[in-house]
Amino acid sequence: MIEYFRSAIYSLISNKLRSALTILGIFIGVWAIVSMQSVVEGFDRSMRNMMAEFGTESFFIQKFPAIVMGHNWRKYNRRKDFTYQDAYYLEETGLYIQSVSAYMSTGAQTIKYKDKKTGPVVGVLGATAGFFSTNATTIADGRVFNKNDEDRNSNVVVLGMDIYDELFPFEDPLGKEVRIGNTKFTVVGVLNPLPGFSFESPDNMVIIPITTYQKTFSWSSGSMQLMLRAVSTEVLDEAMDEAIALMRIRRKVEPGQPNDFEIFTGDSIIDTMQNMTIYIQFATMGIAGISLVVAGIGIMNIMLVSVIERTREIGTRKAVGAKSSAILWQFLIEAIILSQIGAIFGLILAYITSLVYTQLVPGLTANIPLWAVISAFGYCSLIGIVFGLFPARKAARLNPIDALRYE
Amino acid sequence: MEVKSEKKVGENPEKTEEKNNMTGQNTLIKFDHISRIYQMGAETIRALDDISLTIHVNDYISIMGPSGSGKSTLMNIIGCLDTPTSGVYQFEDEIVCDMNSEKIIKMNDNQLASIRNKKIGFVFQTFNLLPRATAFQNVELPLIYAGIPRHERREKVLKALKDVSLADRSTHTPSELSGGQRQRVAIARALVNSPSIILADEPTGNLDSETSREIMVFLDELHRLNNTVIIVTHEPDIAAHAHRMIHILDGKIDRDEINHQKIKNPVNV
Ligand SMILES: Nc1ncnc2c1ncn2[C@@H]1O[C@H](COP(=O)(O)OP(=O)(O)OP(=O)(O)O)[C@@H](O)[C@H]1O
Ligand SMILES: [Mg+2]
């Protein structure tokens, strides 16, 4: 048996190009699936972490569901937008509601300070002053902005930790002016790392008053999101019922009609996300299965060519006493080794991909789950056996004289 | 020159009772009305036509005959690569196949492989070495299939290579060797398992006359050291090395005669 391995490896090494082409399919298949898996897992985990930090008394109201499936979008889009006045209304009126914050954010922006600037990847969040208490954010330095700043549309900004590190490595930022686009903002505070609601890490964000946001980023209009905090965890249900009732009245929803907004807790988001993750996982598995089967057919194809190419070799081996089973094993082991090497390279590249992904997407740690590694090897062995068997049998069954005579 | 001297054949001489009246040696191979017929559609090709033949231990036989007369077919059947369509083939004291009796007796593929491995050494016209393997690995091949452990293999391979004067070429691949050297590697591979018989089908067919002579020196030496050798050739001067010369014509034995020049000065009788 060891001899078969030795000779299989030897013959694969002596035919590097053919071997490389054969494993390419497996390699790409494994790489795609495993790196996909690692991203999904990382996403899943970071969602969980964020939600855990929101605390169990938080919930959210927004215009769109967390996930909108294609054609429904129009239906949701007809709903009335949420404004920050809604937030103040709820905070003042609700008995079980302790605080409410409205917020919205832009995509990637560049923040500049003097000749330093960040990459074009910083999220700008416009929020009501209540954001900091609703979110249980803590301030590392300076102050958060307040209702006053909001009323006066002040150009003040609170920096996330990463931005602070990047722009003010050796300087006190308080009172300094940074620029977002062409607008100048005075830094009033720096946040401790805080849990965030969007995919971007909150540390990679700056927060400005919602009114200032509307003025500065008038192009980024639309509905705001509301984050609410119940007085305590025990009255979370009451607080949610109250919020629903108040919003239905305010938005003039007829009795008997469904809500024209979405309300959910952090937990329910996790559930939704998990459902989505499962769908993604099923989809990847399907694609994976198909791509690896295709790769398996590639292995079979190249093994068949290899059997024909090596007909004389097979004849020679049989002439010096190789049993059919020895030839069968020789080719089968070659197929299995090929698929395993493909799996190894695929996993290595998937690992690199997950590292790159972790670097590129802040707040997300992609990480290859162990079961993916094990099943990659298992599945690839299976592919090697299933698709190697036919060529191997063909080789084993060759008649020695015909094989020796083969030109 | 060193050629291996250990021999497996004739270890149980009392088992094979039949004596050859010419040389007094033991029977190694017995063909009893062997035919090999190919049916190509309506056409019937009698590659071997009712051949009866006895080969003795330490025979040195040359087989000659025109192209297509059935020489290779005969060698393949002797070498258990092919099976006759009728007749009885006995190797040492085992029946390889008996196609004549009521119930056909035939060794299965694994038994045949095992005979090829342990009892038969092939030398081919086209060498048939594994192109990407070194001389050492090529010679090692039969030992691997015989299941011999690694350190023992090494010893035997190096000895076989030394016997064909190629000890210094063990790491060369066939493409790095001359035709004569390749054939010597093939001879080393044929004798590494101490077979009962060495079958050489036109071993010098692809070599020039100088190299051919070189190869024949090795085969002569093998015979001198008590090996049984059969060689197929088209060249009369190659055939003249043998002690018994068989001529085949249309699948039949045309002549089977003693080479009196050699027997006059017997090496081994
Ligand atoms: N697989 C086969 N199918 C059909 N006919 C075959 C087959 N193998 C051999 N023959 C026929 O059997 C006959 C004997 O062939 P063989 O190869 O034994 O001849 P040979 O004496 O070795 O010839 P050469 O000197 O050219 O090598 C030929 O007529 C050949 O055509
Ligand atoms: Mg021939």
Side-chain angles (χ1 to χ4, degrees), chain A residues 27-280:
Chain A
F27 163 66
I28 292 171
V30 169
W31 168 60
I33 302 151
V34 176
S35 51
M36 189 79 177
Q37 254 340 308
S38 79
V39 169
V40 167
E41 284 262 328
F43 175 72
D44 210 42
R45 215 190 7 238
S46 67
M47 280 308 290
R48 219 175 276 278
N49 289 344
M50 280 183 214
M51 287 306 162
E53 285 179 62
F54 271 128
T56 43
E57 59 267 33
S58 292
F59 60 102
F60 304 87
I61 293 179
Q62 60 188 42
K63 177 174 167 182
F64 290 102
I67 301 160
V68 183
M69 296 296 181
H71 62 279
N72 279 336
W73 187 80
R74 288 171 160 281
K75 183 179 110 196
Y76 298 121
N77 196 35
R78 273 200 296 274
R79 291 171 168 183
K80 238 183 281 175
D81 285 350
F82 283 97
T83 63
Y84 63 87
Q85 281 86 1
D86 292 324
Y88 286 119
Y89 171 73
L90 284 170
E91 189 168 295
E92 278 153 27
T93 323
L95 280 175
Y96 297 103
I97 299 166
Q98 186 177 51
S99 63
V100 183
S101 161
Y103 58 94
M104 61 199 306
S105 63
T106 66
Q109 299 286 328
T110 304
I111 316 287
K112 290 175 225 157
Y113 171 66
K114 291 186 177 163
D115 53 346
K116 284 206 212 50
K117 59 179 185 180
T118 65
V121 292
V122 180
V124 177
L125 191 82
T128 55
F131 182 81
F132 300 100
S133 52
T134 315
N135 205 356
T137 323
T138 53
I139 198 89
D141 197 7
R143 63 170 178 96
V144 299
F145 53 78
N146 51 34
K147 196 77 179 34
N148 243 345
D149 297 310
E150 210 172 290
D151 292 343
R152 283 190 274 125
N153 299 350
S154 317
N155 282 359
V156 293
V157 63
V158 174
L159 303 181
M161 200 42 115
D162 290 351
I163 315 298
Y164 161 67
D165 285 343
E166 215 172 329
L167 295 183
F168 298 98
F170 310 112
E171 260 181 274
D172 180 6
L174 298 181
K176 303 277 160 39
E177 266 185 354
V178 297
R179 275 173 298 135
I180 307 172
N182 294 319
T183 317
K184 289 179 176 157
F185 289 84
T186 308
V187 178
V188 293
V190 178
L191 287 179
N192 276 322
L194 87 169
F197 181 42
S198 57
F199 294 174
E200 305 107 62
S201 160
D203 301 344
N204 191 35
M205 254 185 203
V206 298
I207 304 172
I208 60 176
I210 189 76
T211 48
T212 318
Y213 182 93
Q214 283 181 314
K215 187 186 68 184
T216 316
F217 302 102
S218 49
W219 46 267
S220 166
S221 60
S223 182
M224 294 179 187
Q225 284 176 298
L226 306 184
M227 186 195 288
L228 301 87
R229 194 179 190 80
V231 172
S232 72
T233 312
E234 289 74 50
V235 295
L236 179 66
D237 287 343
E238 286 84 345
M240 287 178 83
D241 288 343
E242 188 175 34
I244 291 170
L246 290 171
M247 278 296 108
R248 283 181 72 95
I249 295 164
R250 190 168 160 85
R251 292 163 74 91
K252 306 198 175 65
V253 180
E254 300 287 331
Q257 290 293 309
N259 295 342
D260 71 340
F261 51 87
E262 304 295 322
I263 180 163
F264 45 82
T265 59
D267 284 349
S268 73
I269 296 183
I270 291 183
D271 286 350
T272 318
M273 286 298 171
Q274 240 162 2
N275 281 340
M276 191 173 74
T277 319
I278 286 167
Y279 280 125
I280 293 175

Side-chain angles (χ1 to χ4, degrees), chain B:
Chain B
M1 183 186 68
E2 276 199 73
V3 171
K4 61 188 269 310
S5 52
E6 58 187 289
K7 276 305 300 169
K8 193 175 259 171
V9 290
E11 277 170 0
N12 298 318
E14 68 283 354
K15 274 196 183 173
T16 36
E17 294 297 334
E18 231 178 304
K19 294 280 175 179
N20 182 287
N21 41 19
M22 289 191 289
T23 60
Q25 284 178 303
N26 300 319
T27 300
L28 175 64
I29 281 169
K30 197 157 178 271
F31 267 32
D32 192 8
H33 299 287
I34 291 272
S35 295
R36 178 65 169 100
I37 295 165
Y38 290 105
Q39 199 70 47
M40 309 282 284
E43 205 186 343
T44 305
I45 300 167
R46 297 180 162 272
L48 290 183
D49 192 0
D50 195 29
I51 285 193
S52 294
L53 178 69
T54 306
I55 296 167
H56 305 96
V57 170
N58 200 24
D59 265 0
Y60 190 2
I61 301 174
S62 68
I63 298 176
M64 294 189 74
S67 187
S69 54
K71 305 181 295 294
S72 295
T73 309
L74 178 63
M75 292 292 257
N76 289 339
I77 290 178
I78 295 174
C80 296
L81 284 169
D82 197 3
T83 322
T85 39
S86 64
V88 183
Y89 174 21
Q90 187 179 340
F91 189 101
E92 292 178 345
D93 38 10
E94 288 180 288
I95 303 287
V96 175
C97 61
D98 179 351
M99 315 298 282
N100 285 358
S101 60
E102 292 276 294
K103 199 159 165 281
I104 289 173
I105 301 166
K106 246 164 99 176
M107 284 189 177
N108 64 30
D109 281 354
N110 283 350
Q111 288 171 309
L112 293 175
S114 162
I115 288 201
R116 288 199 294 271
N117 184 232
K118 299 192 175 67
K119 309 265 167 126
I120 290 161
F122 284 101
V123 179
F124 301 95
Q125 178 177 0
T126 51
F127 319 135
N128 282 334
L129 300 173
L130 303 190
R132 292 195 175 82
T134 62
F136 185 97
Q137 289 167 325
N138 267 293
V139 176
E140 192 185 24
L141 207 57
L143 301 175
I144 290 177
Y145 290 124
I148 291 168
R150 200 168 153 80
H151 59 277
E152 259 176 71
R153 289 206 304 262
R154 196 181 152 71
E155 217 167 279
K156 291 192 181 209
V157 171
L158 291 178
K159 179 165 190 319
L161 281 171
K162 201 163 137 224
D163 289 345
V164 295
S165 313
L166 280 178
D168 53 340
R169 294 285 191 281
S170 68
T171 58
H172 291 225
T173 59
S175 60
E176 297 160 354
L177 296 171
S178 72
Q181 288 170 330
R182 288 181 208 184
Q183 197 59 300
R184 270 144 67 192
V185 172
I187 291 174
R189 181 180 65 189
L191 57 82
V192 73
N193 247 356
S194 312
S196 305
I197 187 165
I198 292 187
L199 302 175
D201 192 349
E202 304 193 41
T204 61
N206 279 8
L207 304 173
D208 60 41
S209 52
E210 179 54 37
T211 322
S212 300
R213 259 196 299 283
E214 221 177 279
I215 294 298
M216 289 317 292
V217 170
F218 284 101
L219 290 177
D220 288 351
E221 183 67 6
L222 280 174
H223 169 249
R224 197 182 65 74
L225 294 168
N226 297 327
N227 287 285
T228 314
V229 178
I230 304 183
I231 170 167
V232 168
T233 181
H234 283 287
E235 295 156 73
D237 51 328
I238 297 286
H241 282 258
H243 294 200
R244 180 180 169 193
M245 303 198 287
I246 296 176
H247 283 257
I248 294 195
L249 197 60
D250 295 332
K252 289 190 167 74
I253 293 182
D254 185 39
R255 275 177 296 162
D256 182 350
E257 56 199 11
I258 289 172
N259 185 355
H260 288 292
Q261 274 158 337
K262 288 284 171 179
I263 297 298
K264 266 181 208 158
N265 306 307
V267 184
N268 196 40
V269 178

